[in-house]
Amino acid sequence: MKALTYLGLAIFLTGLTIFTGSIFLGGFNLQEADLTTFLNDKGIENELLQTELKSALIDKEPMGIFDFSSSVRGALQKNNDHFDSLIAEYDAAKEWDKKGAQYQYRINEKDFRAMSFSLAKKAGVGFIVENRGLMWLLTFGLGILGALLFIIPQLKLLGPKGIKNDGVYHSAATNRGWIAWLVLIYLVAFYIVLYFMADYVVNWTFILDPISNALSGNDASQWFVYGFLYCVIMTVMAVRMYIKYRHNKYQIVRTTSVLFFQIVIAFLIPEIMTSLNMPAYDFKNAFPLDYDFFFDWNLESLINSGGIGLFILVWGIVLTLVIVPVMVYFFGKRWYCSWVCGCGGLAETLGDGFRQHSSKKMISWKLERWLIHSVLVFSLVMTLVTLYCYFTGESSFIGIPADWIKNTYSVLIGAWFAGVIGTGFYPIFGNRVWCRFGCPLAAYLGFVQRFKSRFRITTNGGQCISCGNCSTYCEQGIDVRAYAQKGENIVRSSCVGCGICSAVCPRGVLKLENGPLDGRINPTDVLLGNDVDLMTLVNKK
Amino acid sequence: MKHIVIIGNGISGVTVARHIRKLSDHKITIISAETDHFFSRTALMYVYMGHMKFEHTKPYENYFWKKNRIELKRAFVETVDHENKQLLLSGGEKFAYDKLVLAVGSTPNKFGWPGQDLDGVQGLYSKQDLDKLEANAPNNKACNRAVIVGGGLIGIEMVEMLLSRKIPVTFLVRENNFWNGVLPISESQMLNRHIKSHHVDLRLGFNLDSILADKNGRARAVTIKETGEEIPCNVVGLTAGVSPNVAFLKDSGIELGRGIKVNPMLETNIKDVYAIGDCAEQHEGINGRRPIEAVWYTGRMMGEALAQTLCDNPTPYNPGHWFNSAKFMDIEYQTYGWVFSNPKEGNTHFHWIHKDDDKCITIEMEESTRKFIGINNFGIRLRHELFDRWLTEGQSTDYVLEHLKDANFDPEFYSHYEKDILSAYNNKYGTAIQPKKKSWKRIFSKA
Ligand SMILES: Cc1cc2nc3c(=O)[nH]c(=O)nc-3n(C[C@H](O)[C@H](O)[C@H](O)COP(=O)(O)OP(=O)(O)OC[C@H]3O[C@@H](n4cnc5c(N)ncnc54)[C@H](O)[C@@H]3O)c2cc1C
Ligand code: SF4
Ligand code: SF4
């Protein structure tokens, strides 16, 4: 049994190595016809740029992706340099018209990687491109097989059903040891490449082209790779959850729910919509988590897509303004954060083993309140500016340029906070860094949960023994024990209702439930079990 | 403003300190020899098992004490000199008090077994014991078998701890069934089976005879009294109960029995000296309780009551209905009211057990009226508040079972067993009670 898990681990690591190594494989050799198509598609008529790209890419030996990418970016840079010097020249000569005419030939640096990606996608040759099926088996196939071989024997190895936290603080993976740091480095690198150097991983997209084509009729982009990988990881790690928490039906049902929403609603339906020429839309992704919902390009695309576009527009607004708060009123924010949301879904599956690392210190709670509410304000200001500019045609509002704020938010919050830090730092800071400190939707849901919701975690009278399991395993860094040992219900805006505190409590003290608002918040000084007169005396104050 | 000095930073000492601070401006000092800060003794097992770090067992962050002006002093109190109202600390320091609270806890029992002080032989009570176990039994190479002596709550915790490091365990239990002094037999038997299912070598009805040493003075085996059998092992856990930690008070003039004798006001025979928690012994048990109650909750409750007294609101210790809880490996246990291993005279037991052998309940009730006296529930969580109210109201078992759904405290989506339980009950007593649907209104109505 144990041997099987080692075998699984070996297979998994092999798959992971091939997957990672595949970046370095294969050649990129662009054909002139493909370049022409590319230039036509982009409407690029600038001759200098055409020549630069041609001389950098055409009639060359196949290059590796890094050389290819730097050749493309080099050509684009040369083009820009040329026009920059013209601009400077005309500027010195005060020939404003001529100066102004040069800008259109520059390529925005932000688009370098995307252009490199598109060209690489056309230029790929060699083993990977010719053996996509085999490559899938060697990467995803081995990865999945290995992981399952590692996980499924736990059914026996972990012993009878129950709480399985033995050795969490003895293992290098779950106690911030060297394994945790390696995972962190891998994840951070993965996100940085995905967000900022996507052309480097064009080989991954080749591997998934067949699946992408089958679903949407398009070749795979790096986002398709990410989406597919996300679903695969969640599914495999959900198997782990099913085994670990098989005694706990709340966990089983909840895991099934996030899995469903991720695979069907977030992944499959948008792909199918694309294949039907509709705008792709994740129906559960609520603004302001879905921060670009009100961006001009999205509104434009929705408005131009006829009935379905309008439906999405209305749905998106109703989702945020009505459905979300009403559901939070009845069930707490857990219905979203740990039953539906994709970020939550990854945290609860891939991240489960790291939940104990969220800091429970008072100072972290303070930081949390500052940060998450700042992000909420940031997202709202950004949206306000965007909408104002969209409707008035201006380019800025209250002194804030729309493009600048959208960009800043996308990079700072969308990529760095939610991705690189939010997921990359799982092994050290716990699995809900983003959900706790960053997510603007969570901040909004939190208000509703704190002030107007039927949800609470009931504390069972005087039964708490202050052991600390609940606080330790709360992924949101809530000091659950601080409430439980006072006999007080837990009503906290940040609680995502994962139910783990209740699961790990050895004395049956905690119950997540939805009930009447009266008596939901019940501060107590003297706990149930003591002298009734004393309780009345002290607690009435 | 008085200087209130508390010896012991366990749950009872800390509770009284916190409440005194809420109620007054007295100067408060807590003295303890064990650790700098209060930690949860009940969580020691989870540190060894790797569920938590020691840090996590501390219910308050370190800044808490300063913020609340509770002074902490790490020292061992050699004796109390009440005539001069001062303490003698080891090292010779004298420490004055105006009022003294003894919250000094317990020590593990030892019954004079030959070899009980060898290396590798230990109890589990203090932080130092935890460190010792970490040294004695770091893994199953250094410790290839452990023998745990004494079938109580700490015993089974130690068994579970050692199992978590894959160390084979022999568990010597004096009773014929696990914890049968407290639990009704069918519950004990269910736990016997559960313990065995975790591959524990459970020896029921056996006593320790002696512990044998190897040439380095470390335990190498135990012998069993009844059979003379020798069981090789290198760690022996002695968990045959605890007694109040009063040895250092022997000549202090403070009246001692098994523990520190107190009246319901928690006063000792000496003015301005009080005792609470594990170490306190009532002259007579209150409301039919035992004179010494060595559990977490009672320590806390005594602390809550004494703080009132020390802050000019004389309040006797007058606890409400009994409750308790524990966990036996994977099976959680709670109890409300009184269930005795054999029903008290005039009482009877209703017992229900699930076919999976991991859930059961026992209800003690008056035989003639079926008045509800108490419940033991295993594998099912129940709501403290409701049982407390039902006990106060003196409800019948019929009523309790009819409303059992209100009291269910299991996580959402768990299977429910009220129907099952009731059909067993109806069968036994010829009743026709149907479970009522859960009602929030009833749950929140006041007694
Ligand atoms: C392993 C274990 C598990 C337990 N689990 C449970 C449970 O699940 N539920 C439950 O209800 N109860 C449980 N108990 C019992 C519960 O922990 C005790 O009843 C409770 O901790 C007693 O608290 P206390 O404040 O009276 O004393 P203690 O917590 O023992 O505190 C006394 C302190 O005083 C210090 N002290 C004593 N003498 C001196 C001196 N002369 N000078 C300086 N310092 C001194 C000691 O070092 C100690 O730190 C458990 C006990 C153990 C050991
Ligand atoms: S308080 Fe409990 S349910 Fe809420 S997030 Fe923390 S562990 Fe999950
Ligand atoms: S896990 Fe349970 S018993 Fe332990 S501190 Fe939390 S609520 Fe209290």
Side-chain angles (χ1 to χ4, degrees):
Chain A
M1 223 23 131
K2 196 91 197 171
L4 210 55
T5 64
Y6 290 131
L7 179 68
L9 191 59
I11 295 178
F12 171 78
L13 290 175
T14 311
L16 185 69
T17 309
I18 300 176
F19 179 72
T20 314
S22 70
I23 295 177
F24 304 91
L25 299 180
F28 291 84
N29 187 2
L30 192 67
Q31 301 304 312
E32 184 146 11
D34 286 331
L35 179 60
T36 315
T37 329
F38 172 81
L39 293 168
N40 289 342
D41 287 351
K42 294 262 169 205
I44 295 176
E45 288 165 4
N46 167 0
E47 267 177 38
L48 176 72
L49 181 57
Q50 298 195 358
T51 330
E52 289 292 355
L53 283 172
K54 215 181 266 178
S55 80
L57 303 172
I58 307 296
D59 289 334
K60 300 267 169 172
E61 288 293 303
M63 301 177 241
I65 188 62
F66 299 102
D67 287 343
F68 184 85
S69 166
S70 74
S71 303
V72 174
R73 285 178 290 132
L76 297 172
Q77 191 59 48
K78 274 190 194 154
N79 173 72
N80 282 4
D81 289 346
H82 173 79
F83 289 104
D84 284 344
S85 68
L86 275 186
I87 289 169
E89 242 169 66
Y90 291 129
D91 186 66
K94 302 199 161 55
E95 297 187 50
W96 308 124
D97 285 355
K98 281 194 178 162
K99 176 188 170 191
Q102 307 309 318
Y103 283 101
Q104 56 181 315
Y105 304 119
R106 289 186 88 267
I107 303 289
N108 191 335
E109 276 81 1
K110 254 183 27 197
D111 299 332
F112 280 18
R113 290 284 177 172
M115 291 174 94
S116 162
F117 180 92
S118 307
L119 287 167
K121 191 88 194 181
K122 294 180 196 299
V125 290
F127 189 81
I128 296 182
V129 186
E130 285 153 24
N131 299 283
R132 297 175 208 236
L134 179 64
M135 279 307 291
W136 192 91
L137 288 177
L138 289 177
T139 54
F140 287 91
L142 288 185
I144 295 170
L145 177 74
L148 289 178
L149 277 179
F150 183 76
I151 289 167
I152 291 174
Q154 309 295 340
L155 196 55
K156 274 268 160 319
L157 290 173
L158 286 179
K161 59 188 182 176
I163 290 301
K164 299 298 167 205
N165 287 333
D166 287 356
V168 164
Y169 277 98
H170 302 148
S171 143
T174 50
N175 188 27
R176 299 181 171 152
W178 62 274
I179 300 179
W181 284 101
L182 280 186
V183 175
L184 177 140
I185 292 168
Y186 190 91
L187 288 175
V188 166
F190 171 86
Y191 275 97
I192 289 179
V193 170
L194 181 79
Y195 283 123
F196 304 112
M197 306 165 193
D199 52 343
Y200 287 166
V201 295
V202 73
N203 275 336
W204 292 350
T205 68
F206 291 139
I207 300 174
L208 290 181
D209 276 343
I211 297 178
S212 181
N213 272 304
L215 283 172
S216 68
N218 295 332
D219 278 351
S221 66
Q222 80 267 33
W223 300 121
F224 185 86
V225 173
Y226 186 45
F228 186 80
L229 198 58
Y230 210 101
C231 293
V232 166
I233 291 175
M234 268 185 63
T235 310
V236 171
M237 293 304 278
V239 173
R240 174 185 167 280
M241 284 295 279
Y242 287 140
I243 292 173
K244 180 170 176 187
Y245 294 105
R246 63 186 187 276
H247 66 293
N248 189 314
K249 278 199 188 150
Y250 182 77
Q251 298 304 327
I252 304 273
V253 178
R254 185 174 70 90
T255 304
T256 310
S257 170
V258 272
L259 208 54
F260 166 82
F261 279 97
Q262 173 57 32
I263 296 177
V264 177
I265 309 292
F267 183 71
L268 289 178
I269 291 185
E271 291 299 327
I272 291 166
M273 290 174 82
T274 310
S275 77
L276 300 174
N277 275 327
M278 295 176 183
Y281 183 65
D282 174 355
F283 279 91
K284 67 162 180 47
N285 198 7
F287 173 85
L289 174 60
D290 185 8
Y291 62 87
D292 52 15
F293 188 73
F294 292 109
F295 280 13
D296 37 5
W297 57 262
N298 191 44
L299 294 179
E300 213 95 304
S301 132
L302 292 180
I303 289 165
N304 295 332
S305 316
I308 181 73
L310 268 169
F311 175 75
I312 291 173
L313 196 60
V314 174
W315 168 261
I317 294 170
V318 171
L319 180 62
T320 296
L321 291 184
V322 183
I323 301 179
V324 159
V326 168
M327 292 286 281
V328 176
Y329 170 76
F330 283 108
F331 305 111
K333 86 196 230 188
R334 56 185 173 152
W335 83 270
Y336 196 87
C337 299
S338 63
W339 285 70
V340 167
C341 179
C343 307
L346 193 70
E348 297 291 352
T349 47
L350 178 65
D352 177 67
F354 304 119
R355 58 174 55 253
Q356 63 280 7
H357 296 318
S358 60
S359 164
K360 314 303 182 303
K361 296 213 166 88
M362 182 58 85
I363 188 153
S364 312
W365 186 14
K366 285 194 181 139
L367 177 71
E368 166 194 318
R369 281 177 295 180
W370 272 104
L371 262 180
I372 194 166
H373 295 131
S374 308
V375 175
L376 177 62
V377 170
F378 189 2
S379 71
L380 294 179
V381 169
M382 170 186 74
T383 304
L384 198 71
V385 171
T386 311
L387 284 177
Y388 178 86
C389 295
Y390 178 74
F391 285 114
T392 60
E394 309 266 334
S395 65
S396 72
F397 179 51
I398 46 176
I400 305 173
D403 280 342
W404 174 82
I405 193 168
K406 280 189 294 188
N407 243 322
T408 312
Y409 190 95
S410 307
V411 173
L412 228 57
I413 308 296
W416 275 99
F417 203 161
V420 181
I421 299 174
T423 308
F425 281 55
Y426 271 11
I428 301 300
F429 290 150
N431 55 336
R432 286 272 194 178
V433 174
W434 163 247
C435 314
R436 179 182 178 193
F437 294 100
C439 177
L441 180 62
Y444 165 44
L445 300 177
F447 282 129
V448 185
Q449 167 155 297
R450 174 67 184 76
F451 295 107
K452 199 93 197 146
S453 167
R454 291 167 56 82
F455 173 71
R456 88 291 308 273
I457 303 178
T458 304
T459 288
N460 204 6
Q463 286 280 23
C464 175
I465 53 168
S466 299
C467 71
N469 274 292
C470 52
S471 296
T472 306
Y473 287 91
C474 174
E475 56 192 353
Q476 286 290 77
I478 298 173
D479 190 358
V480 183
R481 165 174 58 190
Y483 301 85
Q485 67 190 0
K486 286 194 283 179
E488 184 176 338
N489 293 346
I490 294 100
V491 177
R492 276 280 291 269
S493 52
S494 63
C495 170
V496 291
C498 65
I500 296 295
C501 54
S502 159
V504 297
C505 173
R507 296 294 179 269
V509 176
L510 304 165
K511 180 169 165 63
L512 285 70
E513 56 187 355
N514 314 308
L517 270 63
D518 269 356
R520 173 173 172 255
I521 302 179
N522 59 341
T524 39
D525 272 329
V526 168
L527 276 74
L528 185 61
N530 210 340
D531 189 350
V532 273
D533 300 329
L534 181 60
M535 286 173 58
T536 333
L537 170 81
V538 174
N539 296 336
K540 76 167 182 266
K541 283 189 208 149
Chain B
M1 195 178 81
K2 293 261 160 59
H3 185 191
I4 300 178
V5 175
I6 301 160
I7 311 181
N9 65 352
I11 178 67
S12 46
V14 162
T15 305
V16 77
R18 278 177 45 239
H19 282 265
I20 295 170
R21 180 47 73 243
K22 273 185 209 177
L23 298 166
S24 77
D25 248 348
H26 292 310
K27 178 173 177 189
I28 306 170
T29 306
I30 304 182
I31 303 181
S32 173
E34 187 178 9
T35 50
D36 289 333
H37 297 108
F38 171 46
F39 72 96
S40 176
R41 198 170 296 296
T42 55
L44 284 178
M45 63 182 295
Y46 299 109
V47 178
Y48 177 85
M49 291 166 74
H51 294 207
M52 295 195 272
K53 295 203 276 194
F54 182 71
E55 206 53 30
H56 297 122
T57 67
K58 296 200 226 163
Y60 303 98
E61 277 187 69
N62 296 349
Y63 71 78
F64 175 89
W65 309 102
K66 196 159 191 184
K67 187 176 155 219
N68 288 290
R69 290 173 292 127
I70 296 174
E71 283 174 36
L72 304 179
K73 188 169 175 69
R74 181 92 181 258
F76 183 80
V77 178
E78 301 271 358
T79 190
V80 176
D81 169 11
H82 65 81
E83 273 159 23
N84 298 307
K85 283 207 164 181
Q86 64 179 9
L87 308 175
L88 262 67
L89 309 185
S90 59
E93 192 187 338
K94 294 186 172 131
F95 199 85
Y97 66 82
D98 295 322
K99 298 199 180 213
L100 178 67
V101 179
L102 298 165
V104 291
S106 308
T107 50
N109 290 335
K110 290 182 177 181
F111 292 113
W113 292 294
Q116 66 182 17
D117 296 316
L118 291 169
D119 280 352
V121 182
Q122 66 164 108
L124 179 72
Y125 191 83
S126 62
K127 166 72 165 63
Q128 286 70 26
D129 291 336
L130 174 70
D131 298 341
K132 215 186 262 178
L133 189 65
E134 187 65 55
N136 282 335
N139 53 49
N140 57 13
K141 291 199 185 65
C143 171
N144 46 39
R145 176 164 294 276
V147 174
I148 304 299
V149 182
L153 295 176
I154 300 180
I156 190 144
E157 284 187 6
M158 255 187 124
V159 170
E160 192 181 351
M161 289 161 80
L162 292 157
L163 288 181
S164 77
R165 301 217 183 165
K166 310 235 165 359
I167 295 171
V169 182
T170 298
F171 192 14
L172 293 189
V173 175
R174 187 180 54 179
E175 291 79 19
N176 289 324
N177 292 288
F178 175 76
W179 217 34
N180 193 198
V182 177
L183 298 178
I185 186 142
S186 45
E187 294 175 350
S188 288
Q189 286 170 338
M190 182 181 89
L191 293 178
N192 294 344
R193 294 187 292 267
H194 186 67
I195 294 166
K196 284 185 187 153
S197 79
H198 279 262
H199 311 292
V200 176
D201 173 25
L202 175 65
R203 308 285 185 95
L204 295 167
F206 287 110
N207 282 279
L208 174 68
D209 186 43
S210 65
I211 306 167
L212 309 178
D214 66 9
K215 55 182 184 309
N216 302 319
R218 177 168 173 145
R220 67 165 176 84
V222 300
T223 56
I224 292 182
K225 189 179 254 154
E226 285 72 11
T227 59
E229 185 191 350
E230 191 175 310
I231 304 174
C233 62
N234 29 29
V235 168
V236 180
L238 299 180
T239 59
V242 297
S243 311
N245 171 30
V246 294
F248 76 106
L249 297 170
K250 225 169 47 211
D251 304 318
S252 65
I254 298 170
E255 185 188 352
L256 304 178
R258 283 221 302 127
I260 303 166
K261 289 283 193 180
V262 292
N263 62 20
M265 298 304 290
L266 302 164
E267 297 163 329
T268 65
N269 62 322
I270 308 286
K271 187 166 175 326
D272 291 335
V273 179
Y274 305 81
I276 53 173
D278 278 23
C279 65
E281 179 181 1
Q282 289 289 336
H283 294 287
E284 245 163 79
I286 297 169
N287 306 336
R289 289 169 169 242
R290 286 178 274 262
I292 299 177
E293 296 181 308
V295 292
W296 184 264
Y297 313 110
T298 49
R300 189 184 64 211
M301 292 191 273
M302 289 183 218
E304 290 166 350
L306 180 61
Q308 296 288 335
T309 304
L310 292 176
C311 298
D312 305 324
N313 174 27
T315 304
Y317 172 54
N318 179 28
H321 304 289
W322 173 255
F323 68 96
N324 199 0
S325 62
K327 191 172 179 186
F328 306 96
M329 315 253 175
D330 299 320
I331 300 183
E332 286 175 20
Y333 155 71
Q334 294 174 326
T335 185
Y336 300 106
W338 290 112
V339 179
F340 300 96
S341 55
N342 290 305
K344 280 266 137 84
E345 204 177 305
N347 289 354
T348 177
H349 279 175
F350 164 69
H351 180 71
W352 167 88
I353 183 165
H354 188 261
K355 63 176 171 15
D356 290 351
D357 209 19
D358 57 0
K359 290 176 264 305
C360 74
I361 64 166
T362 303
I363 292 179
E364 178 142 341
M365 59 184 132
E366 281 181 10
E367 188 145 29
S368 51
T369 59
R370 295 212 291 269
K371 181 177 164 208
F372 177 80
I373 307 288
I375 186 167
N376 281 351
N377 44 303
F378 289 81
I380 299 174
R381 296 175 174 180
L382 294 174
R383 222 178 267 273
H384 186 179
E385 222 161 347
L386 277 188
F387 275 96
D388 192 77
R389 186 193 311 157
W390 289 338
L391 285 163
T392 301
E393 292 169 349
Q395 296 290 3
S396 69
T397 307
D398 292 17
Y399 180 93
V400 166
L401 288 182
E402 187 176 2
H403 298 93
L404 198 58
K405 277 184 194 237
D406 289 354
N408 183 289
F409 205 71
D410 276 335
E412 293 148 299
F413 303 108
Y414 270 43
S415 307
H416 278 249
Y417 305 99
E418 291 87 3
K419 255 211 158 106
D420 230 30
I421 294 169
L422 262 169
S423 85
Y425 186 80
N426 287 336
N427 253 338
K428 183 162 175 189
Y429 296 101
T431 44
I433 307 164
Q434 290 305 312
K436 282 215 166 117
K437 260 178 57 188
K438 170 174 168 175
S439 148
W440 278 110
K441 217 168 139 197
R442 278 196 305 266
I443 294 174
F444 277 116
S445 73
K446 291 271 174 275

